[in-house]
Amino acid sequence: MKNLKYIFLQVAVIIMVSCQSDLLETIPNDRISKEIFWITLDDVEFAANAVYPSLDGTSIFSYDGLTDQLMTNHPFNANVELQRGFGTIASGRYFSEWEDAYQGIRRANDFMDNVDQVEESDQEAINKYKAEVMTLRAYQYIKLVMLFGDVPLLTTGIDIPQGRTVTRTPVSQIWDFIEDDLTQAAVWLPYENNGRIGKGAALGLKARAMLYAGRYSEAAEAAKEVIDSNVYSLYPDYFNLFQYEGENNAEVMLAREYAPDVNSHNIYSSVAPWSQISGSNGSLYVPTKSIIDAYPMSNGLAISDPQSGFDPLNPYENRDPRLAQSVFLTEITPLPDGGIYGSTPETDGSDAVQITVYSTATGYNVRKYVADEDYSNPSNSGLNIILIRYAEVLLTYAEAKIELGEIDESVYAAINLVRQRESVMLPPFTSEVANTQASLRSIVRNERTVELAFEGFRLFDIRRWEIAEEVMPGVPFGMTYLDNDNLVQISLEGFDRSFDTGRDYLWPIPNRERELNTQLTQNPGW
């Protein structure tokens, strides 16, 4: 009798469900469903907003932390094994970069797949949001290409079975896609951005991409369009450009925006001198002698030039002002707590070299983005992180024109505008000083090195310039100091960096991805 009762109950349920065909077609109440989304222009804006968090933020430091400019100072950080050439196809850093970029691309593709469902008469507004998302997607592909080379080019959403069969797309085709998308985005976008991606960001990113791709005519053209717009200008104070005071100024073309308590970051607690952090942290990435030596003297001459006036006993005297504005220098730079930075080894200085495992190992600390306002709450910074700025566009224009052999007054003007920022004012370059492609190439590369230091460019620059095997291998060096009237050079023995030219110009396709998709081939040497 019990079995019969259960059979009758099952039949009744089946009949009831068959009579109410839509009973199981319910709209979930724990998330936004497509059935109630993609209807209004507000939905389009909200969906576009969801793609912005994929932008880089404080991670820009981790790129330079893999180069000759910065040393990853914490011995157990994942970057250390990569700097020393010990990375493998299973290294987490390679996978996290791949995963983060494709998460951003997936969000962008979902937007592009669904936005046209919205019945909205204001097509101009729809196109603007499309352009923002296209620019955000291009940003991710630029990183992927520079890190991994050929990668799958996904322009629409895919399901799990498709994800197991995608193959790598040749780099040239990806550059084509990036160029086309950013060209169209620039057409749809206004220059006014109000914190969102505008025409300048799309053009600036296009100029960067084309420079990286070696498509110099296209790079120069995109940069020139930004220059000729007269929308952007250099912020007069280089130091404050990276402080709260300089946020949203006319030089900033794209920034990852933050706010304390709501959407904060911890760059202060990561890179500030150890003495300025409450607790064990700080000095995650510290500058090396390589970047310090790149800053010229205030007369514009390299410190290696016998006529420069460089004094090894007073190495920071009469230097390019950007050095002291970018780096904490011992016995010179004020600290957020009101003291003076002191890193000379075996002294009572506030940040003496290797006084703890978290203090600087080189005698230097990064000053960019270390704001006094964050001293009291170092893990709750709301300081915006700049991703594209006008100075980069000027240097991109100059470099592209130099590589094309089109050396004219506009090249000197672009470089000198950066060098003669109000707070910098180095002597201008003229054709009497340098007029060959080789001499100007050296000038613009060094200018890019110091102007954009610690902003996430160096890893990509040494790859595209193919100089990584020259600048990366060997023991990193730090500051020099006097010890009983002897000049001593800090040398990080035991931290030899390496670079294999047959392997390290590209990262490996992460092992986890190739285990899931056997169609993905591996890069040479891995």
Side-chain angles (χ1 to χ4, degrees):
M1 290 293 293
K2 281 187 178 181
N3 290 338
L4 186 60
K5 184 171 80 171
Y6 288 138
I7 291 173
F8 282 138
L9 181 59
Q10 289 172 350
V11 170
V13 169
I14 292 171
I15 293 172
M16 181 177 67
V17 171
S18 65
C19 293
Q20 301 180 45
S21 58
D22 63 345
L23 182 66
L24 299 181
E25 297 177 6
T26 60
I27 296 175
N29 58 15
D30 62 339
R31 60 189 180 276
I32 297 177
S33 167
K34 290 182 179 180
E35 283 75 13
I36 60 173
F37 200 71
W38 298 113
I39 295 173
T40 68
L41 189 60
D42 284 344
D43 294 340
V44 177
E45 181 180 359
F46 296 151
N49 291 348
V51 188
Y52 275 83
S54 64
L55 283 171
D56 285 327
T58 58
S59 59
I60 61 172
F61 284 91
S62 70
Y63 298 124
D64 285 351
L66 291 169
T67 72
D68 57 324
Q69 284 192 353
L70 290 178
M71 173 183 167
T72 302
N73 196 49
H74 294 184
F76 303 110
N77 185 274
N79 264 9
V80 172
E81 65 175 6
L82 273 61
Q83 270 196 313
R84 303 190 65 190
F86 299 153
T88 71
I89 57 175
S91 293
R93 177 68 194 278
Y94 301 140
F95 176 73
S96 64
E97 287 287 346
W98 179 285
E99 181 182 44
D100 289 347
Y102 274 111
Q103 282 182 352
I105 290 167
R106 183 185 63 192
R107 291 178 184 177
N109 286 343
D110 182 68
F111 176 96
M112 298 301 290
D113 287 346
N114 291 284
V115 65
D116 288 333
Q117 296 179 40
V118 177
E119 297 180 2
E120 170 62 51
S121 59
D122 191 352
Q123 190 60 43
E124 183 177 344
I126 294 287
N127 288 342
K128 183 177 77 72
Y129 290 119
K130 282 184 178 180
E132 291 180 24
V133 172
M134 291 160 68
T135 303
L136 291 165
R137 182 171 59 183
Y139 183 95
Q140 299 299 333
Y141 273 120
I142 291 169
K143 282 197 307 178
L144 283 170
V145 167
M146 294 302 292
L147 293 173
F148 299 101
D150 299 349
V151 294
L153 177 60
L154 307 178
T155 60
T156 61
I158 60 173
D159 57 24
I160 293 176
Q162 290 172 314
R164 294 182 182 276
T165 59
V166 296
T167 58
R168 298 172 70 183
T169 304
V171 165
S172 61
Q173 293 181 29
I174 302 176
W175 286 130
D176 288 343
F177 173 78
I178 291 170
E179 181 180 5
D180 290 345
D181 258 20
L182 292 176
T183 300
Q184 182 60 71
V187 171
W188 283 338
L189 286 165
Y191 272 109
E192 298 76 18
N193 57 24
N194 298 317
R196 305 184 71 87
I197 285 175
K199 185 189 291 287
L203 288 171
L205 194 60
K206 179 183 176 182
R208 179 190 298 179
M210 295 300 96
L211 185 72
Y212 286 1
R215 300 181 181 185
Y216 300 118
S217 292
E218 293 83 352
E221 181 182 354
K224 187 67 162 52
E225 187 171 348
V226 174
I227 295 169
D228 289 346
S229 73
N230 294 316
V231 171
Y232 302 99
S233 60
L234 297 182
Y235 190 66
D237 190 318
Y238 186 79
F239 173 72
N240 282 324
L241 175 62
F242 306 98
Q243 301 291 309
Y244 286 102
E245 180 180 319
E247 286 191 338
N248 302 314
N249 68 78
E251 182 170 348
V252 177
M253 301 167 68
L254 177 64
R256 176 73 184 273
E257 300 203 345
Y258 293 91
D261 302 320
V262 179
N263 178 32
S264 61
H265 60 74
N266 65 342
I267 197 59
Y268 180 102
S269 63
S270 294
V271 303
W274 172 78
S275 68
Q276 304 302 291
I277 307 297
S278 55
S280 56
N281 212 326
S283 304
L284 175 55
Y285 305 108
V286 295
T288 65
K289 183 177 186 291
S290 174
I291 181 60
I292 304 302
D293 288 354
Y295 290 90
M297 301 295 289
S298 59
N299 58 19
L301 298 178
I303 66 170
S304 58
D305 190 320
Q307 304 301 315
S308 69
F310 175 69
D311 180 4
L313 299 179
N314 297 286
Y316 315 126
E317 191 172 282
N318 298 322
R319 296 291 293 275
D320 180 336
R322 288 172 294 187
L323 172 58
Q325 294 165 358
S326 303
V327 179
F328 281 95
L329 304 173
T330 192
E331 300 177 19
I332 292 176
T333 312
L335 290 165
D337 68 359
I340 297 294
Y341 181 74
S343 60
T344 304
E346 299 178 2
T347 69
D348 59 356
S350 59
D351 290 282
V353 167
Q354 299 176 355
I355 194 171
T356 77
V357 70
Y358 296 105
S359 64
T360 175
T362 64
Y364 304 112
N365 275 97
V366 173
R367 195 178 183 201
K368 274 186 180 179
Y369 291 110
V370 175
D372 291 356
E373 294 90 333
D374 292 333
Y375 174 70
S376 61
N377 198 352
S379 295
N380 189 33
S381 176
L383 193 58
N384 293 346
I385 305 296
I386 302 171
L387 300 178
I388 306 175
R389 58 187 179 95
Y390 187 49
E392 180 204 346
V393 172
L394 290 168
L395 295 175
T396 293
Y397 174 77
E399 183 178 350
K401 293 279 283 185
I402 292 167
E403 293 301 327
L404 289 167
E406 299 175 357
I407 299 170
D408 56 25
E409 285 305 312
S410 69
V411 172
Y412 296 98
I415 297 173
N416 288 332
L417 195 59
V418 175
R419 288 169 60 84
Q420 297 196 294
R421 187 192 300 268
E422 188 175 317
S423 67
V424 179
M425 293 305 294
L426 295 183
F429 281 117
T430 65
S431 57
E432 286 75 25
V433 175
N435 55 20
T436 66
Q437 185 183 54
S439 61
L440 282 168
R441 179 183 289 142
S442 177
I443 285 170
V444 77
R445 288 185 178 184
N446 196 75
E447 194 62 33
R448 185 178 173 92
T449 297
V450 298
E451 172 68 23
L452 304 177
F454 320 138
E455 295 179 50
F457 292 96
R458 184 64 173 174
L459 179 63
F460 306 116
D461 283 348
I462 63 176
R463 289 183 172 204
R464 63 188 182 86
W465 293 337
E466 297 184 351
I467 62 169
E469 65 268 27
E470 301 171 20
V471 301
M472 282 301 298
V475 174
F477 293 101
M479 67 181 287
T480 56
Y481 64 98
L482 279 175
D483 183 17
N484 295 323
D485 296 326
N486 295 315
L487 197 62
V488 179
Q489 172 74 68
I490 289 179
S491 177
L492 283 303
E493 302 296 339
F495 194 87
D496 294 55
R497 296 175 302 194
S498 69
F499 190 89
D500 181 347
T501 56
R503 182 194 71 175
D504 293 336
Y505 270 108
L506 291 175
W507 283 359
I509 305 302
N511 191 50
R512 289 172 62 178
E513 291 298 312
R514 297 188 70 237
E515 288 176 345
L516 293 171
N517 179 4
T518 58
Q519 302 299 309
L520 294 175
T521 57
Q522 187 55 277
N523 282 325
W526 294 96

